[in-house]
Amino acid sequence: MALLAAVIFFSTQSDRFLTGQNFSLILQQVMVVGVIAIGQTLIILTAGIDLSCGMAMALGSVVATKFAVDYGLSPYLAIPCGMLVCIAIGYLNGALVTSIKLPPFIVTLGTMNIAFAATQIYSQAQTVTGLPEAMTFFGNTFRLGGTSITYGTVLMLGLYVLTYLFLRETAPGRHVYAVGNNPEAARLTGIATGRVLVGVYMLAGLCYGIAAMLSVARMGVGDPQGGQTDNLDSITAVVLGGTSLFGGRGSIVGTFIGVMIVGVFRNGLTLMGVPSVYQILVTGILVILAVAADQLTHKKG
Amino acid sequence: MTAKRCFALALIASTTGAALAAEPIVGLITKTETNPFFVKMKEGAQSAAKRQGAKLLTAAGKSDGDNAGQVTAIENMISAGARAILITPNDSRAIVPAIRKAREQGIMVIALDSPADPQDATDALFATDNFKAGQLIGQYARTAMGGKPAQIATLDLFPGHPVGIARHNGFLAGYGAPGITPKTAGLARTAGVVCMADSFGDQAKGQTAMENCLQKNPGINVVYTINEPAAAGAYKALKAAGREKNVLIVSVDGGCAGVRDVKAGVIAATAQQYPLKMAGLAVDAGVAYAKTGKKAAGHVDTGVTLITDRKQDGVESRDSAFGLTACWGK
């Protein structure tokens, strides 16, 4: 609803807003946070939260680019290396949450700082430049009619479809909901809750790895300062999409809408000439409204 | 409900809806929304845009170092039909591909305050000569020390930032270190420098950095700081150690709070820069390009003045009274 209203409003305000090109642009701008938000959604569905996602993404992108530039590794090997680092961070998060029963908030707060420091130390806080062509493939565009579309946005949309099918149509996907709803009940029905949790954190890590690849493609560099607000940005998108922070309730479609709301507002307000600080204001109001609306409907139901 | 709320907000916030085709659009992208230096820069750009009858779009990174936000802003401004984009890069290297995209569309891009890397990635650079700003306070500090052996602490910006490097190296060159030029790569270190720490231009981090430096070397008697917030933090640390009376703090920026600190004797001298003028001149250049197609080029130096109330012979300076008339921020 809010997304639709925003789209209609902005199209009356700027003749450049309602064009395929501009929508392709919005998709391109949200693709990194959009893919991170997929991982964040999976984790929040299990009643967890991941603060380390943006820093994991930054570490993955620095590892991938440095492997390619400094050690001359082929991009087809360097990118998976970056992804592996992200999956490893996901595994560490999942293992700490399940085996020592630490709260996800604390675990990922710790790994967030570890990943950030590792990024700075490994890159000496220097941006990695001079990448081989193949590394930025997903930043390239193809033409569809009069619109140029970035390959990365297609990948993002594909991942959303895959996640949708995974959550709806597969047993492990339904286990994610079950564990988030009531871990005790899930355990009693024979679900290996620990394994589901570790799996979810690793899957999320894979999402951050893919986001790292997209970020590198979008920026054309490996950026050690990247991802610093992506944790809160992705949580914002998940919450706007109506997923409950208490786990077990929500949808990946909602997250996509949440990601788009933020992107549409940022782009639309910029086109109108409104300072970006108002965009932050609107986002803040929207988050509270979204959760309040959710609460009210559930009280009634 | 949501839609209504947003509508009202947008109405309050928006000045005009669709732009008139005739008025040239100029975009200004600052590092952050919150730093008073950039707030002042925006003011300078706005008044120049008004005077020229141009429409100014503004955007900023979310935090210092946020490159992705600036890339997004560039793309949105291309989409909005800007003819010129003025940007203070958060990441001098990472922003280059996005700048290239804008220039390929025939948009003139001017770097404000700090250069892109390489510098010729933008059409022009409108900035303070940061090396010269450093030199001024270096010469001042050397004269003020009058030949006493110096133990210098430098509170720098953060690793790899060209402005931080230029000011730091300028300071050492001004202090008389041989062989340091604006071309020197990285932070130089000379015999007199006993401690180098990053302050991120932030008061709290500046204080921490100074505390650590004093811990390492209690005999520090000259402190160079990247900007006045860092200087204020350094002063706090020195005061806590009971050392504030016999340590010379010099800085760069010339914000109003900093000039007041000069007046109060917290900072001995600061090199003042002029963000209003910087942004105004750049907007003028952007409008000129939109109207005539003539591009700005090269490095346009927007000036720097040494501000101190303890004048030293042979070093040209103005007093804090002048500094307060020309300062920026609150």
Side-chain angles (χ1 to χ4, degrees):
Chain A
M1 269 310 293
L3 181 59
L4 209 62
V7 168
I8 292 166
F9 170 71
F10 286 124
S11 44
T12 62
Q13 289 298 309
S14 168
D15 52 351
R16 288 171 172 273
F17 179 77
L18 204 57
T19 60
Q21 188 56 53
N22 196 45
F23 268 80
S24 164
L25 176 68
I26 294 173
L27 281 172
Q28 177 189 321
Q29 291 177 348
V30 300
M31 73 186 181
V32 177
V33 169
V35 172
I36 288 177
I38 295 177
Q40 189 73 259
T41 306
L42 293 174
I43 288 174
I44 289 179
L45 282 177
T46 67
I49 196 144
D50 190 349
L51 300 178
S52 70
C53 52
M55 299 305 179
M57 190 274 293
L59 182 58
S61 59
V62 165
V63 167
T65 49
K66 274 187 90 75
F67 275 26
V69 174
D70 293 2
Y71 317 134
L73 214 57
S74 132
Y76 300 103
L77 285 172
I79 291 174
C81 286
M83 287 185 187
L84 276 176
V85 170
C86 291
I87 294 170
I89 293 172
Y91 173 74
L92 182 67
N93 285 336
L96 289 169
V97 167
T98 50
S99 61
I100 323 183
K101 296 277 184 284
L102 292 173
F105 187 93
I106 308 293
V107 170
T108 57
L109 187 64
T111 49
M112 168 180 98
N113 286 307
I114 293 167
F116 174 73
T119 306
Q120 301 307 315
I121 293 163
Y122 181 52
S123 68
Q124 296 170 321
Q126 293 288 321
T127 308
V128 189
T129 53
L131 308 182
E133 274 293 300
M135 284 209 98
T136 54
F137 166 79
F138 283 104
N140 299 342
T141 53
F142 63 92
R143 298 202 69 80
L144 191 80
T147 314
S148 62
I149 299 172
T150 313
Y151 286 107
T153 60
V154 179
L155 178 68
M156 172 183 79
L157 295 172
L159 285 172
Y160 269 97
V161 171
L162 275 178
T163 314
Y164 174 77
L165 294 173
F166 165 74
L167 286 173
R168 252 186 71 121
E169 306 293 336
T170 71
R174 285 193 295 272
H175 290 175
V176 172
Y177 279 95
V179 169
N181 252 327
N182 190 334
E184 197 50 27
R187 205 177 49 79
L188 292 173
T189 54
I191 297 172
T193 50
R195 223 184 296 166
V196 170
L197 275 177
V198 174
V200 162
Y201 279 90
M202 285 173 78
L203 261 182
L206 173 64
C207 288
Y208 310 152
I210 296 169
M213 173 180 75
L214 290 177
S215 164
V216 167
R218 177 162 151 72
M219 306 290 169
V221 291
D223 182 10
Q225 309 297 340
Q228 300 205 5
T229 57
D230 289 3
N231 50 8
L232 295 180
D233 291 351
S234 63
I235 293 167
T236 301
V238 174
V239 169
L240 280 176
T243 294
S244 161
L245 284 176
F246 303 109
R249 213 162 42 75
S251 76
I252 196 71
V253 178
T255 298
F256 179 68
I257 291 172
V259 166
M260 285 305 286
I261 287 178
V262 176
V264 162
F265 268 96
R266 182 169 54 195
N267 167 275
L269 290 174
T270 308
L271 292 191
M272 278 170 62
V274 178
S276 52
V277 75
Y278 287 96
Q279 173 236 321
I280 300 169
L281 178 74
V282 171
T283 310
I285 292 169
L286 283 178
V287 166
I288 293 173
L289 285 176
V291 180
D294 192 50
Q295 286 284 15
L296 293 173
T297 50
H298 274 272
K299 273 208 183 100
K300 279 178 202 148
Chain B
M1 167 77 189
T2 319
K4 259 195 192 146
R5 179 65 64 87
C6 297
F7 190 80
L9 257 179
L11 277 186
I12 296 163
S14 84
T15 40
T16 76
L20 295 167
E23 56 176 2
I25 300 176
V26 176
L28 170 70
I29 303 168
T30 50
K31 285 187 190 185
T32 65
E33 292 277 6
T34 49
N35 182 324
F37 184 83
F38 299 123
V39 173
K40 204 72 187 173
M41 196 180 255
K42 207 149 94 176
E43 266 175 48
Q46 264 151 353
S47 62
K50 204 178 244 154
R51 196 180 60 239
Q52 297 265 14
K55 181 183 164 93
L56 184 75
L57 304 176
T58 58
K62 281 193 288 262
S63 58
D64 246 322
D66 169 26
N67 181 60
Q70 290 197 321
V71 171
T72 297
I74 289 182
E75 289 169 341
N76 285 338
M77 285 176 181
I78 297 173
S79 193
R83 295 294 293 130
I85 294 176
L86 324 174
I87 181 164
T88 56
N90 264 328
D91 186 324
S92 50
R93 263 189 253 172
I95 196 70
V96 168
I99 291 176
R100 195 179 307 126
K101 258 185 221 156
R103 289 181 71 189
E104 278 165 4
Q105 309 252 359
I107 297 171
M108 177 173 74
V109 181
I110 296 177
L112 284 181
D113 180 47
S114 55
D117 180 9
Q119 199 170 312
D120 62 11
T122 58
D123 289 292
L125 166 68
F126 283 49
T128 304
D129 182 337
N130 282 295
F131 189 84
K132 189 171 144 198
Q135 263 179 313
L136 286 175
I137 54 174
Q139 285 161 355
Y140 174 91
R142 184 183 180 178
T143 318
M145 287 299 284
K148 267 190 300 192
Q151 298 199 23
I152 301 171
T154 65
L155 303 189
D156 297 302
L157 188 53
F158 54 78
H161 197 287
V163 169
I165 293 168
R167 288 182 189 175
H168 171 107
N169 290 351
F171 168 79
L172 292 179
Y175 207 94
I180 298 176
T181 70
K183 296 253 181 299
T184 305
L187 295 173
R189 185 160 200 158
T190 57
V193 178
V194 294
C195 185
M196 283 165 54
D198 288 328
S199 71
F200 293 82
D202 171 279
Q203 181 160 341
K205 293 193 178 87
Q207 187 175 340
T208 309
M210 190 71 231
E211 286 161 353
N212 294 340
C213 279
L214 279 173
Q215 203 58 28
K216 193 173 144 194
N217 198 310
I220 288 167
N221 53 11
V222 176
V223 181
Y224 150 87
T225 55
I226 180 77
N227 68 0
E228 288 129 4
Y235 182 80
K236 269 180 101 156
L238 287 162
K239 198 167 170 172
R243 297 279 330 276
E244 78 275 14
K245 286 281 176 282
N246 37 18
V247 177
L248 184 82
I249 302 178
V250 290
S251 194
V252 179
D253 245 4
C256 294
V259 177
R260 282 196 296 272
D261 275 346
V262 169
K263 199 172 167 179
V266 170
I267 300 174
T270 191
Q272 185 171 52
Q273 50 175 341
Y274 302 100
L276 260 166
K277 187 173 151 194
M278 206 182 280
L281 289 173
V283 169
D284 290 350
V287 174
Y289 171 67
K291 285 182 176 159
T292 66
K294 196 174 161 304
K295 282 190 175 175
H299 177 175
V300 179
D301 181 359
T302 51
V304 60
T305 313
L306 187 70
I307 305 288
T308 179
D309 285 344
R310 291 184 258 161
K311 197 167 163 38
Q312 301 294 329
D313 286 335
V315 188
E316 200 171 307
S317 64
R318 306 286 302 265
D319 61 7
S320 64
F322 167 82
L324 284 170
T325 60
C327 69
W328 45 270
K330 293 262 182 316

